[in-house]
Every structure is written in C-alpha cells, then in structure tokens.
C-alpha cells in the first residue's frame, strides 16, 4: 500500500467493482473523455483474472486515508522499463471530486513510479479543458510539454490534449511518509 497525506493506493478488492461500475464505468460521456478508445460496457463483476501488477501497467484503488472509503482508481500505464518512463491516470468518484484528493493521488503515483519502480520520467495526457487534472499534475510538479491540437476523438468531436511531464530530478518527494 502506498500512502499520501489524504489517500492510500491499494490493490483492488472485489467489492470495489460494483462501485466503479455504478459511478465511473457506466458514465459514457465522462468515460469517453478519460479513455483513449471508444466506450464499451464493462461487466459489473471483477474480471476472471485479477488486476495483478504487470510490467506494462499497475492499477490501484484509491481510498481516503482516514476513513478507508473507496474514492477512485489510479493507474501507472505504458510502463517502458528500457526508457524508464510511464504514463499516469486517475479517476475519482464524483463524491470525491474537488476535495484535493487528485493532487495527492498524483503525488503518490509519482512516488511509486520514481522511488519504487526507478523510472526517470512520468507523463500525463489530458484533455485541454480538464482543469482538475491539469491543476493536480501542475501542483505535483509536472510541467506542460505541449499541446496536441484536435488529437482526441471525444464523443463526436475532436479535442486538444495537453502533455505534461515530470523528470525524477525535478520531483520533490513527500515528507509525510
């Protein structure tokens, strides 16, 4: 388990899937904005193979540190061990949005990527109008590397994506651990 100031990132539990199904996966418009592929219905039951960490992706459930209440999911994906780089993404349940959890989740994912996995670079790709993710990434130390104009097909229209990066030498580890 990885701990931040407000959150903990832990393995997924079977009981997490109905919550994700009801509050994240069935929301077509929101999911279409966060995925790089077309929305597809997701089974309400956990996959037959659990989300075990792999060489290419690690998926976490996010819980509030004080209450242990499930508040979202976080992933380090596209892990490239040769170039020591990866991408990160988060999805917070609607009830957890706007409370500063996202910034803490990004910081804990950075700790996992840099301190645990030994990566050199982490990257975020988000839609240009995703102020919450842009703010969380910037508060965690990411800088804007550029904008990909009209590069994302999102529910019937093209949208700009912003690329943000953080290098290990620019990372400031949290002092709360």
């Amino acid at each position: 388990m990885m701990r931040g100031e407000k959150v903990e990132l832990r393995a997924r539990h079977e009981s997490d899937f109905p919550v994700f199904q009801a509050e994240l996966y069935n929301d077509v418009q929101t999911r279409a904005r966060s995925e790089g592929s077309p929305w597809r219905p997701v089974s309400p039951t956990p996959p037959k193979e659990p989300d075990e960490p792999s060489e290419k992706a690690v998926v976490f459930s996010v819980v509030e540190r004080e209450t242990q209440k499930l508040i979202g999911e976080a992933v380090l994906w596209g892990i490239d061990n040769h170039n020591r780089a990866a991408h990160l993404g988060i999805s917070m349940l609607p009830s957890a949005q706007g409370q500063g959890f996202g910034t803490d989740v990004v910081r804990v994912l950075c700790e996992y990527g840099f301190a645990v996995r030994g990566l050199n670079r982490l990257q975020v790709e988000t839609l240009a109008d995703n102020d919450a993710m842009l703010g969380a990434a910037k508060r965690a130390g990411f800088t804007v590397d550029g904008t990909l104009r009209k590069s994302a097909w999102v529910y019937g229209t093209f949208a700009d994506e912003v690329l943000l990066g953080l290098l290990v030498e620019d990372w400031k580890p949290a002092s709360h651990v």
Side-chain angles (χ1 to χ4, degrees), residues 4-166:
E5 291 180 22
K6 295 181 169 189
V7 301
E8 293 178 354
L9 275 55
R10 62 158 170 79
R12 287 183 170 196
H13 296 170
E14 190 169 327
S15 61
D16 297 345
F17 286 91
V19 175
F20 290 148
Q21 178 71 21
E23 297 189 43
L24 291 179
Y25 302 155
N26 278 339
D27 183 347
V28 179
Q29 296 232 359
T30 299
R31 205 67 184 166
R33 292 177 49 79
S34 66
E35 295 289 320
S37 59
W39 177 85
R40 288 183 214 87
V42 177
S43 172
T45 58
K48 296 210 185 312
E49 294 295 319
D51 287 330
E52 293 296 325
S54 74
E55 288 301 311
K56 296 291 180 192
V58 181
V59 180
F60 297 95
S61 286
V62 180
V63 296
E64 186 176 3
R65 190 167 177 169
E66 287 184 20
T67 65
Q68 293 298 296
K69 178 182 176 189
L70 181 68
I71 58 172
E73 64 181 356
V75 61
L76 202 66
W77 60 277
I79 300 170
D80 178 344
N81 289 318
H82 176 73
N83 292 304
R84 295 177 47 207
H87 307 261
L88 64 87
I90 66 173
S91 293
M92 303 306 293
L93 299 179
S95 62
Q97 294 174 6
Q99 300 178 47
F101 294 124
T103 299
D104 201 32
V105 173
V106 171
R107 287 182 176 137
V108 177
L109 280 173
C110 290
E111 181 181 344
Y112 178 75
F114 293 135
V116 176
R117 296 295 296 245
L119 299 176
N120 181 62
R121 176 185 166 80
L122 293 174
Q123 182 168 306
V124 171
E125 299 91 11
T126 190
L127 297 177
D129 65 355
N130 187 347
D131 294 330
M133 187 62 195
L134 289 168
K138 288 176 182 177
R139 285 187 295 276
F142 284 77
T143 58
V144 174
D145 288 339
T147 300
L148 300 172
R149 298 178 324 140
K150 296 192 179 202
S151 63
W153 178 251
V154 181
Y155 210 81
T157 189
F158 284 101
D160 293 350
E161 284 183 290
V162 177
L163 300 178
L164 300 104
L166 179 61

